[in-house]
Amino acid sequence: MGENVTFKCLRCGHEFCGVYDTDVERMCPKCRSNSVRRVKDKPAPPAHPPKK
Amino acid sequence: MTEDLRIGVFVCECGHNIAGTVDCEAVRAHASTLPDVVVAQRNRYTCSDPGQQQIKQAIAAHNLNRIVVAACTPRLHEPTFRACLAQAGLNSYLLDMANIREQCAWVHQSDPVGATRKAMDAVTMAVARARHLNAQKEIEMPVARAALVIGGGIAGIQASLDLADAGHQVYLVEKQPSIGGKMAQLDKTFPTMDCSI
Amino acid sequence: MMDAGRHPRIKLLAYSEIVSVSGYVGNFSVRVRKKARYVDESACTACGDCAKVCPIVVPNEFEVGLGSRKAIYIPFPQAVPSAYVIDHANCLGDVPIACGKCRDICEIKCIDFDQQDQIINLDVGAIIVATGLDVYDPSALDEYGYTRHENVVTSLEFERLIDAGGPTGGHLIRPSDRKPPKRIGFIQCVGSRTLSGNGDPSASSGQRLSRGRPYCSNICCMNTVKDSLLLKDHYPDTDISVFYMDIRAFGKGFEDLYRRSKEAGVKYIRGLPGEVVEDPVSGNLLLTVDNTTQGRVEQHELDMVVLSIGLVPSEDQAHIKKLLTLSQTDEGFLLESHPKLKPVDTPTRGVYLAGCAEGPKDIKDSVTQASAAAARAQIVLNSDKLKVEAITACVDREVCTGCGLCAKVCPYSAILADSKTKMIAQVLEAKCAGCGACSAECRFDAITMRHFSDAALTAQIDAALAENPENKIVTFACNWCSYAGADYAGVSRMQYPPNARIIRTMCSGRIDEDFILRAFQLGAPVVLVSGCHYADCHYINANRWTQKRVDRLWDRLERKGIRPERLQLEWISAAEGAKFATVMREAERIRQGVTPEEIELTRRVLAEEG
């Protein structure tokens, strides 16, 4: 399965978290653009939220 | 490339569809200045018989070996003009189209200047591409003489029967254990008020 | 139905699903899974002995839950093929201690618990998609109380209640007390012509659609007119009210039926009820409606209410759409090649549409369209040979190094290459579909696409940017989706700024990184790459390479100090004219933010690199 990464929309600048999966289309949840780039220098959030 | 390039450009007005927004005469005049263009003409409807006749006559009169048609989308009339070239004895791959209707006149109706500039560029680009086009030979493939129909409702049943009655083998695939679809659930049907099964 | 079942040239594969489709027009290879029926379809005489002894009783889907059936059953008496089937999920099974009663009683021994699913391979030249429709589920419309009031039924349930072959033998009764209803109301446009919730962008598409679809379902008016005439025929003293917003009786003979219905005393009341309330004692229903013809609020007490439900795209359609790389409209129906001139063709050559898969329609229109699709398909089937467009890939044997990258990206396995032996790549022309992913991937420019050569595409880029490049947005669009979407914007007269210079390729996977860098080097402020949505790619998955190349370029541009924002990527379907126009407006906004200094710096940086 894909890892959790940070994406940045190159149309509106919105940054968001999502799963990196090469078989899924990327879309900015704010402006619906597909110009969504994976931000590599940002520390990725944990793949799974810590269990309680 | 050994042969000399001789390009003909045909700018379609499409009645008012293109000419209502784009200055077609300006586009034609612009085309005539482009490299290797030996003739540039304007037609009311290039896809019509007279329009195609004009292309064929120009091919013969000017010994053209590349054709650019600036008109509607190639998704509509590329087959038309390819056939026209073939009838004039040219390989049908020596054609390019500039889309100045769907992607120009119709989407910039309030900006005739911008639309005309865009149409000129579209013709420049098409001529540039035409200079690099080569004759191609299409390969021929055999055809499997059977049809697949997906869904056994009224539409699938009718399509299957028509194809089978015309002599073709048909495979009718239905997900449910019986064909009939939604129609079979209806009691009577309009407008004839008869039963559905 | 019977004719289709016994036609010598129709092979009926019921209880079957399409697993995969490969190939192209004239030469499709299809794999079909014929599910285990556990009954020998050809031997079964449909005597029904098995169902008599089956101990399992479940709701009958055909009767929309109004009747029951056994775990071994025939969907309806006139079913084709006329054979029973075992519902595996509910059957107790073959273990003797559990059951096996049906097998024991079957005289001809046609029940076989060991039957397996079968995979059948078919070679066909043309495909007709007739996946049909589903009906709208009115549960979300709480004001009509479908889930709470027994005597509120859907029009499909009503069909079964009045059908002589239905669970009541055609004697109309209402569900709560099984008494014949004397006062019946029909509510029109249930789930159709509804825009509520559509304005809320945060709502999920499921939420947005649960209250109804925006389109007219086409058949519900006439279905109600028909039902009203049936009622007046069978039960002349029934009091019938139809609540509507418009009656659309547009087809041949339709107006006549509508007039007959009115003459028979059916009341047509212009206004949709705001609420349906149930009297808990009598089970009767109280409707409050704004009668907009009379200009007054009325109350109607009825014994039974029929919700005239609309049609929605079939659930199975998504699977077929993906297998055949078809597109769909915003409304979810399959997209035709052209709404007027090619109404049964699809963007995939050799695939045609019939019936409600293309949009809501009645029986006559479905039959008409099916015949049209059959005729279109015969154009392919009757050809001796089909010409394939000469857009395939050619390898320059002098330049090829045998690295094998091209073979890796080919979605069709149409290139023979081996990175170990360094053999020169060889294109299997019959398999090549012409997407050009290999040509874009080759690092040595050893692959030329016939008719979409590097030289031709580069010449187009150069020509586009020859004058005032700072005003231009170089736009690459794929033939099947985004270029068609741009055409659709035109057909719909959607207006956008005239800065784009559009270059067509067969697939976005054809777009070489060099093309994009060249555009920037020549002074393009913005480059837009556009292609089909992932699910719509006409070359299986060639557009995944588009994303990878754009990803790579974004990194590369950034390393060179060029803002990655200047390279935009969008997936636009053939039906998304509106999206194309929006993308154009956004690209123009981005272009206006690119300074002349920035463009000049880009030119210098890229020129130094050579």
Side-chain angles (χ1 to χ4, degrees), chain C residues 154-371:
Chain C
T154 67
S155 41
L156 190 59
E157 287 163 349
F158 179 83
E159 284 299 326
R160 300 316 302 153
L161 287 173
I162 202 166
D163 191 330
T168 59
H171 300 291
L172 181 66
I173 51 169
R174 64 178 197 169
S176 71
D177 50 14
R178 306 184 67 78
K179 284 189 185 142
K182 289 288 162 211
R183 295 165 299 175
I184 300 180
F186 288 84
I187 300 178
Q188 294 305 111
C189 289
V190 177
S192 305
R193 303 180 70 193
T194 309
L195 279 172
S196 62
N198 274 359
D200 179 6
S202 66
S204 74
S205 64
Q207 284 169 329
R208 272 188 281 128
L209 294 175
S210 65
R211 289 193 56 83
R213 311 295 168 119
Y215 50 83
C216 167
S217 287
N218 190 302
I219 60 153
C220 334
C221 284
M222 290 315 294
N223 191 62
T224 292
V225 169
K226 173 206 75 178
D227 285 341
S228 74
L229 284 167
L230 281 182
L231 281 169
K232 282 291 180 190
D233 184 49
H234 298 358
Y235 312 97
D237 59 341
T238 312
D239 180 76
I240 305 170
S241 311
V242 177
F243 303 95
Y244 72 97
M245 46 175 148
D246 297 295
I247 291 290
R248 296 183 165 175
F250 53 88
K252 190 176 182 180
F254 288 9
E255 185 67 22
D256 180 48
L257 283 187
Y258 179 36
R259 194 167 43 239
R260 272 164 59 194
S261 169
K262 282 194 286 193
E263 282 165 7
V266 176
K267 285 176 282 187
Y268 284 84
I269 298 155
R270 191 168 182 278
L272 297 179
E275 199 180 18
V276 177
V277 179
E278 184 184 45
D279 178 341
V281 181
S282 64
N284 290 350
L285 303 158
L286 203 62
L287 277 68
T288 310
V289 60
D290 182 0
N291 183 331
T292 56
T293 315
Q294 303 291 333
R296 60 166 187 243
V297 175
E298 297 174 351
Q299 295 225 314
H300 293 257
E301 189 181 345
L302 301 167
D303 301 329
M304 183 162 138
V305 166
V306 181
L307 303 180
S308 193
I309 48 175
L311 308 182
V312 299
S314 137
E315 258 184 39
D316 309 326
Q317 189 184 290
H319 172 63
I320 300 297
K321 170 183 162 261
K322 197 163 180 223
L323 286 181
L324 297 171
T325 61
L326 306 177
S327 299
Q328 64 180 37
T329 62
D330 293 346
E331 295 165 349
F333 292 98
L334 294 175
L335 184 71
E336 65 277 30
S337 279
H338 190 281
K340 281 185 305 195
L341 303 176
K342 287 188 173 178
V344 303
D345 290 29
T346 68
T348 305
R349 218 180 138 203
V351 178
Y352 308 91
L353 302 175
C356 290
E358 183 261 337
K361 53 177 69 67
D362 64 11
I363 293 174
K364 178 185 175 182
D365 283 355
S366 294
V367 168
T368 308
Q369 200 184 29
S371 290

Side-chain angles (χ1 to χ4, degrees), chain B residues 73 109 129 137 162 188, chain C residues 226 371 450-451 487 495:
Chain B
T73 171
Q109 287 171 324
R129 176 166 189 247
K137 193 175 180 316
D162 281 8
K188 299 282 189 293
Chain C
K226 173 206 75 178
S371 290
R450 297 165 71 190
H451 207 55
D487 283 346
Q495 305 295 302

Side-chain angles (χ1 to χ4, degrees), chain C residues 10-82:
Chain C
I10 299 180
K11 169 88 177 142
L12 183 57
L13 297 168
Y15 211 35
S16 303
E17 287 172 4
I18 311 290
V19 181
S20 67
V21 179
S22 60
Y24 40 85
V25 58
N27 295 276
F28 293 106
S29 299
V30 183
R31 279 159 57 87
V32 179
R33 179 192 309 280
K34 188 162 171 53
K35 290 181 281 187
R37 199 179 178 107
Y38 305 105
V39 174
D40 182 343
E41 195 179 294
S42 51
C44 177
T45 59
C47 69
D49 288 348
C50 52
K52 281 186 202 128
V53 298
C54 176
I56 303 294
V57 181
V58 292
N60 185 338
E61 301 84 354
F62 186 77
E63 303 296 356
V64 242
L66 294 171
S68 62
R69 63 163 173 83
K70 299 296 186 66
I72 184 163
Y73 69 106
I74 188 159
F76 53 100
Q78 307 90 332
V80 177
S82 181

Side-chain angles (χ1 to χ4, degrees), chain B residues 17 30 73-76 78 82 92-97 99 101-111 114-115 117-118 121-122 124-126 128-129 132-134 136-193 196-197, chain C residues 1 4 7 9-17 24 26-27 30 35 37 61-62 75-76 78-81 122-128 130-131 133 159-160 162-163 219 222-223 226 230 254 257 316 320 354-355 362-363 367 370-371 374 378 380-390 429-430 450-452 455-456 459-460 463-464 472 479-480 483-484 486-487 490-491 493-498 500-504:
Chain B
N17 280 300
H30 167 76
T73 171
R75 291 174 53 83
L76 195 63
E78 193 177 56
R82 279 189 174 179
S92 56
Y93 284 80
L94 299 173
L95 163 82
D96 197 26
M97 288 186 72
N99 186 335
R101 191 177 76 165
E102 282 83 349
Q103 297 182 4
C104 192
W106 280 351
V107 287
H108 311 307
Q109 287 171 324
S110 56
D111 184 359
R117 204 177 294 134
K118 186 176 179 182
D121 272 11
T124 310
M125 291 160 70
R129 176 166 189 247
H132 292 275
L133 292 177
N134 294 309
Q136 304 289 349
K137 193 175 180 316
E138 293 182 333
I139 55 168
E140 292 189 327
M141 307 291 289
V143 177
R145 294 194 168 261
L148 168 69
V149 177
I150 306 173
I154 176 63
I157 292 172
Q158 182 67 42
S160 301
L161 286 171
D162 281 8
L163 286 167
D165 284 344
H168 299 287
Q169 172 66 44
V170 177
Y171 301 101
L172 173 55
V173 173
E174 166 58 48
K175 190 181 176 192
Q176 299 298 326
S178 170
I179 57 171
K182 289 282 179 297
M183 179 198 60
Q185 284 175 290
L186 307 178
D187 172 35
K188 299 282 189 293
T189 58
F190 65 83
T192 47
M193 309 299 285
S196 67
I197 290 182
Chain C
M1 259 171 72
H7 199 292
R9 279 187 295 275
I10 299 180
K11 169 88 177 142
L12 183 57
L13 297 168
Y15 211 35
S16 303
E17 287 172 4
Y24 40 85
N27 295 276
V30 183
K35 290 181 281 187
R37 199 179 178 107
E61 301 84 354
F62 186 77
F76 53 100
Q78 307 90 332
V80 177
L122 305 173
D123 292 318
V124 297
I127 298 176
I128 292 177
T131 43
L133 58 118
E159 284 299 326
R160 300 316 302 153
I162 202 166
D163 191 330
I219 60 153
M222 290 315 294
N223 191 62
K226 173 206 75 178
L230 281 182
F254 288 9
L257 283 187
D316 309 326
I320 300 297
D362 64 11
I363 293 174
V367 168
S371 290
Q378 283 183 66
V380 171
L381 297 177
N382 289 344
S383 330
D384 280 337
K385 299 252 173 172
L386 272 187
K387 284 196 169 166
V388 181
E389 217 182 345
E429 218 177 336
R450 297 165 71 190
H451 207 55
F452 286 91
Q460 281 175 280
K472 317 272 176 79
N479 179 62
W480 303 104
Y483 192 90
D487 283 346
V491 172
R493 307 296 195 277
M494 291 163 178
Q495 305 295 302
Y496 56 80
R501 297 296 177 262
I502 300 175
I503 296 173
R504 182 171 70 117

Side-chain angles (χ1 to χ4, degrees), chain C residues 309-543:
Chain C
I309 48 175
L311 308 182
V312 299
S314 137
E315 258 184 39
D316 309 326
Q317 189 184 290
H319 172 63
I320 300 297
K321 170 183 162 261
K322 197 163 180 223
L323 286 181
L324 297 171
T325 61
L326 306 177
S327 299
Q328 64 180 37
T329 62
D330 293 346
E331 295 165 349
F333 292 98
L334 294 175
L335 184 71
E336 65 277 30
S337 279
H338 190 281
K340 281 185 305 195
L341 303 176
K342 287 188 173 178
V344 303
D345 290 29
T346 68
T348 305
R349 218 180 138 203
V351 178
Y352 308 91
L353 302 175
C356 290
E358 183 261 337
K361 53 177 69 67
D362 64 11
I363 293 174
K364 178 185 175 182
D365 283 355
S366 294
V367 168
T368 308
Q369 200 184 29
S371 290
R376 297 289 293 169
Q378 283 183 66
I379 295 174
V380 171
L381 297 177
N382 289 344
S383 330
D384 280 337
K385 299 252 173 172
L386 272 187
K387 284 196 169 166
V388 181
E389 217 182 345
I391 51 171
T392 48
C394 308
V395 177
D396 184 339
R397 300 183 58 85
E398 306 287 306
V399 185
C400 177
T401 63
C403 73
L405 270 182
C406 52
K408 210 181 94 195
V409 302
C410 178
Y412 298 90
S413 310
I415 303 183
L416 295 179
D418 188 344
S419 56
K420 286 190 196 108
T421 62
K422 297 275 176 200
M423 75 173 261
I424 304 292
Q426 187 194 341
V427 178
L428 305 171
E429 218 177 336
K431 281 180 113 178
C432 173
C435 67
C438 55
S439 179
E441 193 69 11
C442 180
R443 293 174 190 176
F444 308 96
D445 289 335
I447 299 186
T448 301
M449 300 309 295
R450 297 165 71 190
H451 207 55
F452 286 91
S453 66
D454 280 12
L457 287 163
T458 307
Q460 281 175 280
I461 298 166
D462 293 1
L465 298 169
E467 283 173 30
N468 305 105
E470 67 282 0
N471 293 333
K472 317 272 176 79
I473 297 162
V474 174
T475 301
F476 294 96
C478 79
N479 179 62
W480 303 104
C481 288
S482 51
Y483 192 90
D487 283 346
Y488 195 59
V491 172
S492 316
R493 307 296 195 277
M494 291 163 178
Q495 305 295 302
Y496 56 80
N499 307 64
R501 297 296 177 262
I502 300 175
I503 296 173
R504 182 171 70 117
T505 56
M506 292 311 287
C507 176
S508 62
R510 170 71 184 94
I511 302 160
D512 200 316
E513 285 153 76
D514 291 346
F515 299 160
I516 296 166
L517 290 172
R518 186 177 183 96
F520 281 128
Q521 193 182 337
L522 292 173
V526 176
V527 175
L528 168 68
V529 170
S530 65
C532 302
H533 285 284
Y534 272 26
D536 299 344
C537 181
H538 281 65
Y539 299 97
I540 304 176
N541 53 12
N543 65 357

